Amino acid sequence: QVQLVESGGGLVQPGGSLRLSCAASGVILSIGAMGWYRQVPGKQRELVARVTRAGFTNYADSVKGRFTISRDNAKNTVFLQMNSLKPEDTAVYYCNADVVDRFGGRGYWGQGTQVTVSS
């Protein structure tokens, strides 16, 4: 069974930084795109950033220039460096990965990590 485990969330003041990590484990044949999404109560989950296996990235307009997504293919891990954080970045952040395992290909989600930006 493939699992995605996130870490690095927490409470930070406006203007501060956080780094999220997400590691995939299990019997994994390959991983395609990996990404970060976020969700606040009462709203739909939205894309924050996504990176292909080759390293091509795309970002939500609201985070461009402040967040950077990266990955370590050897460790099946994706990172999200978040700088200049704003209160509106407060949300539960979820990791997502397109994984090929012994049963085929499908998308997996992590359990989520809370990010709170507040003074």
Side-chain angles (χ1 to χ4, degrees):
Q1 180 73 6
V2 174
Q3 287 188 318
L4 302 183
V5 178
E6 299 124 335
S7 61
L11 173 64
V12 64
Q13 292 186 341
S17 298
L18 283 175
R19 181 177 169 86
L20 305 183
S21 300
C22 172
S25 63
V27 181
I28 296 170
L29 300 181
S30 67
I31 300 180
M34 303 181 80
W36 291 93
Y37 293 72
R38 65 188 181 187
Q39 189 170 24
V40 297
K43 291 191 175 182
Q44 286 190 327
R45 193 171 296 185
E46 64 174 7
L47 172 70
V48 176
R50 198 156 174 85
V51 58
T52 68
R53 185 171 182 82
F56 295 103
T57 60
N58 65 292
Y59 296 90
D61 287 343
S62 59
V63 307
K64 284 180 181 177
R66 301 187 297 123
F67 291 10
T68 302
I69 190 170
S70 60
R71 64 189 285 172
D72 183 335
N73 290 333
K75 296 182 178 179
N76 291 334
T77 301
V78 64
F79 306 96
L80 186 68
Q81 178 66 44
M82 304 185 293
N83 298 329
S84 302
L85 282 160
K86 304 176 181 180
E88 51 263 43
D89 294 317
T90 296
V92 177
Y93 283 70
Y94 295 91
C95 172
N96 173 267
D98 295 332
V99 178
V100 178
D101 60 17
R102 54 187 171 177
F103 302 110
R106 55 160 285 190
Y108 285 87
W109 291 93
Q111 80 284 357
T113 185
Q114 177 71 46
V115 172
T116 303
V117 184
S118 176
S119 55

